[in-house]
Structure formats: C-alpha cells, structure tokens
Amino acid sequence: MNDDELKRSLESLFSDVSLPPATPDDADVRERPPEPEPAVEGATPPGPEVPPESAGHEPDVEGSAEPVSDVVHEPSQWRPRLLQALLYGAVVVGAPVVAWNAYRATTGGQLILIPFWICSYMLLLLVTFVEPTSYGVKAGTFLGLLVALGLLDLVESGPGGTSRMLLLSVPALTVLLVSRQAGVAALLAAVATQAASAWALSTQRFVPPGRGVGLSAPAGGWWSSPLTFLLVGAGLLGAQTVVISRLIDTLARSRRLVGNLADYEARFGGQRRELRRRALQLEAGVEVGQAVTSILDGDRLLRRTVELIPEYFGCHFAGVFLLDETGDHVVLRVGTGDAGPALAAEGFRVAVEESTAIGWTAKHKVSYVVLHAEDDERYRPLPRLPETGSELALPLMVNRHLLGVLDVRARETTAFDETDVRVLRGLADQVAIAMENARHSPDEAALLEASSPLYRASRRLTRATTVEEVAGAVVESVAETEADGCLMVELVASPAGQLDALRYVCTWPDRPQRWSPPGSVLALGESPFPVELLGDPCTVADIRDDERLSDRARRLLVQRGIGALVSIPLQVEERIGQLAVLSLEPGSFCQSSMRLYQMLGQEAAVALQRARLLDRAEQHAQREAHRRRVVDRLRGALDVEQALRAAAGELSHTMDVPHVSIELDVGPGDMGRPGD
C-alpha cells in the first residue's frame, strides 16, 4: 500500500462519513437488485440500500436522558408520607399504651378513663386505615390526640409530668405536618396551657390527684416553668425551620442540577456518541493500515483483520471468504469466535449465486446489507452461528477483480448504518490490496527487506505511529549508511506565522553535551542546527571552507567534530522541518546514500504528520472519555455538595494539583435566610 493510498484512507476516516443519496450513477448499496438488464461489460450491478432508519448501530443508551431522580422535593408531596408513617407508628405503640392505662384505670378506680382510651385508639385506627380521609382530617386528629393526652397527663400529674414532653411535641410536629405559622400558634397555646396550670397549682386553685396541698409549687415561682417551656419550644421550632428550609433548598438545587445534566445529554449526547464512533473508526483504520503494511503473510493479515473488526465495530463475527480456483464458490479462510476456525477447518463454502448475501456480493461485486435477518430472503445463518440480527457482505476487489468476500455479522438488528458501511468498505479495499501484494510478491518482498535500504527505511516509517517511532526509524536508516550522525528538527512558527524556533525530533549519536535532546525547543539564534541551510536540499562537503555557513554555525559544527553534512528538507505540501546527515570527515556522500536521504526527507515528513494527527485523535478520545467520567460522577451525586466534591476531585486529578477549592456565588434571593 503506497503513501497516496494510505493518505486517502486516513483522509476518508477524518472526513464527514455521511453518504450522499444514492443515484443511478453511484449506487453501491441498495435494497434489492433491479430486474435483469442486458449485460454490459464492466458495468457494476447495484446492491442493497441502507435505509435511513438504520442509522446508528450503537444502542441509544449513553446519550439518552435518564429520568430525573424520583426523590420528593415539595412539602405537599413528602408531608402525607411522613404523616402516614407517624400514624402507623402510633397504631403500633398505642395498643400496649391503651392496654396499660386501661389496667391502671381499673385498679385505681378511675373507670371513666377507660372509654377515653378506647375511643382515642379507635379514632386513631379510623384515620389511619379508612380511605378516603383528607390530609387535614388525619393531621388534625393526630395532633388533637397528642393534645388530649398531654392535657390528661397535666390533670393527673401536674406541669412536672410527661405532659411537658407531649405538649412540646405538638408544635414540633405541627411545623413538620402543617406549617411554620401553625407551629408557632401551637407553641403559644402550649405555653399558655403550661402557664395556666402552673399558676393554678401555685395559688392552690388546682391540686392534682394524689398530691397534698403542701406539696404545691411556691406562689411566686409559677412563671419559671412556662418560661423554660417557651425557650425550649422556640429553640426547637427555630432549628426545625432552618433545617427544613435548607433541606428543601438543597433538594431543589439537586433537582435543577440533574435537570441541567439531562438537558446537556439531550443536546450534546448524539454529537459525543458520533465523536466516539469516529475515534474508534479512526483507530480501526490505523490498526488495519499497520497490519496491511507490516504483515507479508496473507493468512496472518486476514486473521489480524477479522480480529480487529469485532473489537471496534461491536459485531460478534467477521470472516473472510476467498474465491476458489473454479470461481463458483467462495471458501471461508478465517473467521472469529468458536464457529469461525471450526468452519474454516471444515472448508465451509458458499456458492456464487443470488440466493445468499455472500453469494450475491461475490456475483455482483457490490456490498449487500441485511438489516433484519428474519425478513431478508438472502440471509442464511452460518452453522454454529444462528444468533444473527444483521449482516454486511463486502467484496474484496483489486482492479475490478474479485478476491473474495468480507462477511460481518451482529446480534442486533439494524446494527450497520451508512457510516459503518463506508468505513468497512475502505478497510476491505485496504485488505484486498495487501492480499494481492502478499500473494504475488512474498519472495520479492523478503528479498527487498534483506537487501534494499530504501525498502527497509520505507517499511520502518510506514509502521511508525508516534513521533518517537519516526525518530527511531530515521536513525536506524541513517545508521546503515556511511554517516556518523544525524539531526532532525521541526519548524516552530510564532503566532504571527513567522519561523521562530526549532523543535528537535532526534539527535544521533544521543550526546546531550553535543546536541540538544529530543523534544527541546530552541530559538533560531540559540540552536546549534545550521539555520542558514534550512530550505532546499544541499550538501556541504567541507564545513571549514563552505561559504554558505555563517561563522557561528561553522564554529559550532567544528567544535562538535563535524567535517561534512547533507541537509534535506522535510516537506509534504509545505516545509515542516529539516534533516541533517552528519559525517566526521570532509568529503562527499555516495549516490545510493543520497537517494536514501532524499527518500527519508519525503517519507519522514509524511510519517511525522501522521503521528501528530494520531496523537491529536488519541488526546481527543481521552478528553471525551474524561468528560464522560465527570458527567457520570455528577449525575450520580445525590446533592449539591456531593456534586461539587466530585467536580473538585476530577479537576484535581486532571490538573495534577493536591487541592481544589470551589466557591459559590450566593445570589440576592439567597440572602437573609437562617444558616446561609
């Protein structure tokens, strides 16, 4: 596969992969073949069409907006639940309480209290279990029973008994079940009741049963009990008001945050999924391109290809069928999973005819898509592989000559869209070219690998996918010649577009005391590279006598023991760098080495651009994965504090800093609330 073909493949993967509408002149994929027409030599029959509704072979899960949390936020929603829980608890606790107090009333001679306890419990049962009963009736009955119990204890035991606890619970529960204003009113009523009972007790106007007159409270201290009751009750209601207000506000903010995240998913989820698919398709194209250019064995190439397709396209089977010698059948050569190797060992074959998708593709040399396996007349399940919902058959063509068929299957229906068809068709073309090259010239390729420095250098650069690998390929190739060292630099432009500095890609020999280390960026005036030689190719046979070198460059090169050099520009469409091959002794380089250096200047530039492009694509994919992780953590947060902690943690991890602080700007509407 030459450079132009690899470049076109990568450009195709980066371009907009949406297919234009099918036209009579360009119909590679159609639903059904038309009625037979008179055969025309060289004409390509149409194939099945990919319907628009099949777009997007990935399940629409990641970008779909999940339902907003079902946590109840409004008081009108959570108060009935709270009241019902309190009623259930009162029913459970009330049964033994009623039985004990009925027993006490019987033994104490207070039989009149027995109907009170029984009627109170029956009323509790009615409001708890009889439907429909309004919320107001339930809340009023529950709070009224508490007031009645408090008054009864007040009459029996006086202000110092459990009546304080019962009467104090009434305003607290009123705030929760009704409103803050109702709670304040209940507190004032409870304080008045306590004050009245304390005054009556201190003035001897009321004496609880079982207490003598001399045991009554002093006449001047009756006000201390209601005052203490008021302070405790007011503190309790104030704390409740602040807590409930902050809790409702926090839940509302959490709901808004979840809603905003859902809106973000709805607006940008599809774009993110498409970017991720593009990244995966690019990675698959690069992997197949590497296999195509680095594997000379045809079987190894096919095995590597069918292993990559399920990994990047989410299908469960990929197989390559090759045309046999008769041309009447295509035979499975390699396949994935458990079924693929077994069928290939058995010599499974498919006839070249229109009854199957594979046979139709082999006959017409056009792609065929099965979106619904059960409804397509040309779908045939493979032995040991019945669970298939979609199938895509692609011809392996070289110069309109059929080599075989690439068959891809997925468990889901409508698993392949136009983008998948186009990308897989490009991969199939690359594989077909590599198969043809491997079949016709394995011995020649091995001979070139062993004997031709040009071929070895080209192979090294073609397989290089990172800047470091490109640098290593250049150094290895230069080291095979009579050169004693080399420098390769990239041009760095200023924001205004002017040449500003040089970035060192490789230095050989790697001696920091002599040359700048790889990755360093030096201004033109500070770089030991002879900047006056940047541009057209040139050869300096003797450093000491060449007038093209400045005094500074000549002095630096002589100090490093350089006697001669060759300067080759790194250029594709524009100049991106320079390669300098060094010799310790003055003199000319041989012609074969000069041809190798010129080839290195051309192919190293292409390889550097490809490496930079792949690095940017990988960084983009990593950023997308990081954004997805942040969104997932924020969506999983139960409140604003947890969401902020998650955001701070991700920022700390991304920026590699030990501490991140997030400050919230409190708006005017949030001022003046207790606890803010």
Side-chain angles (χ1 to χ4, degrees):
M1 182 178 185
N2 57 35
D3 296 334
D4 293 335
E5 291 169 340
L6 180 59
K7 181 180 178 182
R8 286 195 298 271
S9 299
L10 289 174
E11 289 175 348
S12 175
L13 290 175
F14 276 103
S15 64
D16 187 0
V17 294
S18 299
L19 288 177
T23 62
D25 297 330
D26 183 18
D28 185 46
V29 183
R30 299 189 186 279
E31 180 64 27
R32 295 287 184 268
E35 295 297 328
E37 296 180 359
V40 179
E41 184 177 356
T44 302
E49 181 182 10
V50 181
E53 62 268 17
S54 67
H57 79 287
E58 294 187 42
D60 191 12
V61 175
E62 186 175 344
S64 60
E66 295 183 358
V68 178
S69 174
D70 59 356
V71 177
V72 180
H73 302 285
E74 299 299 333
S76 60
Q77 295 174 306
W78 57 260
R79 278 173 173 162
R81 297 185 180 183
L82 175 61
L83 175 59
Q84 195 64 36
L86 292 174
L87 289 173
Y88 287 144
V91 168
V92 174
V93 176
V97 171
V98 169
W100 169 250
N101 282 280
Y103 171 76
R104 285 182 57 199
T106 302
T107 57
Q110 298 176 330
L111 299 179
I112 192 173
L113 295 179
I114 296 178
F116 169 78
W117 290 106
I118 295 177
C119 291
S120 299
Y121 191 71
M122 294 298 296
L123 184 60
L124 180 63
L125 292 176
L126 287 176
V127 297
T128 302
F129 297 105
V130 174
E131 297 293 344
T133 303
S134 65
Y135 175 80
V137 173
K138 289 185 176 183
T141 302
F142 179 73
L143 295 174
L145 289 175
L146 288 178
V147 172
L149 292 176
L151 292 176
L152 178 61
D153 187 77
L154 185 64
V155 171
E156 290 183 341
S157 305
T162 58
S163 60
R164 289 183 180 180
M165 181 182 67
L166 291 172
L167 293 178
L168 189 61
S169 67
V170 172
L173 291 175
T174 303
V175 172
L176 290 176
L177 299 178
V178 183
S179 66
R180 179 173 56 184
Q181 293 78 4
V184 173
L187 176 62
L188 295 178
V191 171
T193 302
Q194 283 284 319
S197 64
W199 175 80
L201 183 63
S202 64
T203 58
Q204 302 295 317
R205 286 177 172 81
F206 170 71
V207 178
R211 297 180 60 178
V213 176
L215 297 177
S216 301
W222 65 269
W223 51 268
S224 62
S225 176
L227 180 60
T228 304
F229 188 90
L230 176 62
L231 293 177
V232 173
L236 180 61
L237 263 62
Q240 276 187 295
T241 301
V242 173
V243 170
I244 294 175
S245 176
R246 295 299 296 272
L247 178 61
I248 293 176
D249 183 66
T250 300
L251 292 176
R253 292 184 182 181
S254 175
R255 181 173 57 179
R256 288 196 299 270
L257 178 61
V258 173
N260 292 337
L261 289 176
D263 293 340
Y264 174 82
E265 286 292 316
R267 292 178 57 189
F268 302 106
Q271 298 179 12
R272 192 170 61 255
R273 290 198 310 276
E274 184 63 24
L275 287 175
R276 191 182 73 168
R277 292 184 59 197
R278 293 281 188 90
L280 288 175
Q281 291 164 359
L282 170 64
E283 190 173 350
V286 171
E287 292 253 14
V288 173
Q290 284 184 305
V292 163
T293 56
S294 61
I295 300 177
L296 297 176
D297 189 325
D299 288 337
R300 285 182 56 206
L301 171 65
L302 296 181
R303 284 195 298 271
R304 182 56 180 157
T305 301
V306 298
E307 289 171 357
L308 290 173
I309 291 176
E311 179 179 351
Y312 288 104
F313 290 87
C315 54
H316 74 300
F317 175 81
V320 174
F321 292 78
L322 298 183
L323 193 66
D324 63 6
E325 297 179 356
T326 65
D328 297 331
H329 293 82
V330 286
V331 183
L332 181 63
R333 187 65 171 268
V334 293
T336 58
D338 297 332
L343 293 176
E346 295 173 2
F348 179 77
R349 61 182 54 207
V350 177
V352 180
E353 57 183 13
E354 297 189 355
S355 62
T356 64
I358 297 174
W360 193 97
T361 298
K363 182 175 181 178
H364 293 283
K365 303 176 183 179
V366 177
S367 305
Y368 191 94
V369 180
V370 176
L371 298 178
H372 299 273
E374 296 181 356
D375 301 332
D376 196 288
E377 61 183 4
R378 290 192 174 89
Y379 166 72
R380 297 292 183 275
L382 290 178
R384 303 184 181 90
L385 195 71
E387 65 283 2
T388 297
S390 305
E391 180 183 7
L392 173 60
L394 300 154
L396 300 174
M397 302 281 296
V398 175
N399 297 327
R400 305 186 66 82
H401 174 65
L402 180 71
L403 301 182
V405 176
L406 172 62
D407 185 60
V408 182
R409 303 189 179 214
R411 292 186 175 91
E412 302 81 9
T413 58
T414 64
F416 304 107
D417 63 2
E418 295 176 346
T419 301
D420 299 319
V421 174
R422 183 170 180 175
V423 174
L424 285 170
R425 188 167 56 217
L427 298 183
D429 292 340
Q430 295 185 52
V431 173
I433 294 172
M435 288 173 54
E436 185 73 5
N437 293 338
R439 184 169 64 178
H440 284 95
S441 57
D443 296 334
E444 291 83 352
L447 180 61
L448 286 172
E449 178 74 21
S451 61
S452 173
L454 288 172
Y455 184 79
R456 289 195 297 273
S458 178
R459 292 254 296 165
R460 294 186 187 110
L461 290 172
T462 303
R463 286 183 288 185
T465 58
T466 64
V467 175
E468 292 75 13
E469 292 177 356
V470 173
V474 171
V475 169
E476 289 182 23
S477 301
V478 173
E480 293 180 351
T481 67
E482 70 271 22
D484 298 309
C486 68
L487 302 174
M488 186 166 66
V489 296
E490 286 184 290
L491 307 183
V492 178
S494 64
Q498 301 295 325
L499 179 59
D500 186 51
L502 298 178
R503 179 186 294 108
Y504 281 77
V505 178
C506 71
T507 58
W508 174 68
D510 188 11
R511 299 173 184 173
Q513 67 273 19
R514 298 182 60 181
W515 307 109
S516 300
S520 58
V521 179
L522 297 180
L524 295 180
E526 302 174 357
S527 172
F529 192 94
V531 295
E532 55 269 23
L533 299 183
L534 296 175
D536 297 332
C538 66
T539 301
V540 178
D542 193 339
I543 296 296
R544 299 179 183 274
D545 299 334
D546 198 293
E547 297 180 353
R548 289 172 294 183
L549 294 173
S550 64
D551 294 339
R552 175 182 178 276
R554 183 180 295 106
R555 183 178 66 258
L556 292 175
L557 292 172
V558 170
Q559 289 176 355
R560 288 163 172 79
I562 306 302
L565 64 84
V566 176
S567 181
I568 304 293
L570 304 178
Q571 185 167 353
V572 186
E573 295 180 355
E574 59 183 12
R575 184 163 52 94
I576 66 170
Q578 200 84 6
L579 171 66
V581 182
L582 311 174
S583 175
L584 298 179
E585 299 296 332
S588 300
F589 295 85
C590 66
Q591 292 299 319
S592 61
S593 297
M594 292 297 297
R595 287 195 297 270
L596 174 63
Y597 303 152
Q598 292 172 0
M599 185 275 292
L600 285 176
Q602 297 172 358
E603 297 204 5
V606 175
L608 278 175
Q609 281 194 336
R610 182 175 66 243
R612 298 292 188 196
L613 191 63
L614 294 177
D615 183 62
R616 287 196 295 270
E618 183 178 357
Q619 292 178 0
H620 178 76
Q622 292 175 351
R623 287 195 298 269
E624 288 298 321
H626 177 70
R627 292 192 187 101
R628 179 61 187 171
R629 186 172 63 253
V630 172
V631 170
D632 289 341
R633 290 195 61 184
L634 292 178
R635 291 180 61 182
L638 298 178
D639 51 34
V640 174
E641 181 180 358
Q642 188 174 357
L644 294 178
R645 288 183 180 275
E650 291 296 337
L651 289 174
S652 176
H653 174 72
T654 302
M655 303 174 65
D656 194 20
V657 295
H659 177 72
V660 172
S661 176
I662 300 178
E663 297 183 2
L664 295 181
D665 184 14
V666 180
D670 296 330
M671 299 296 292
R673 291 179 300 181
D676 282 351

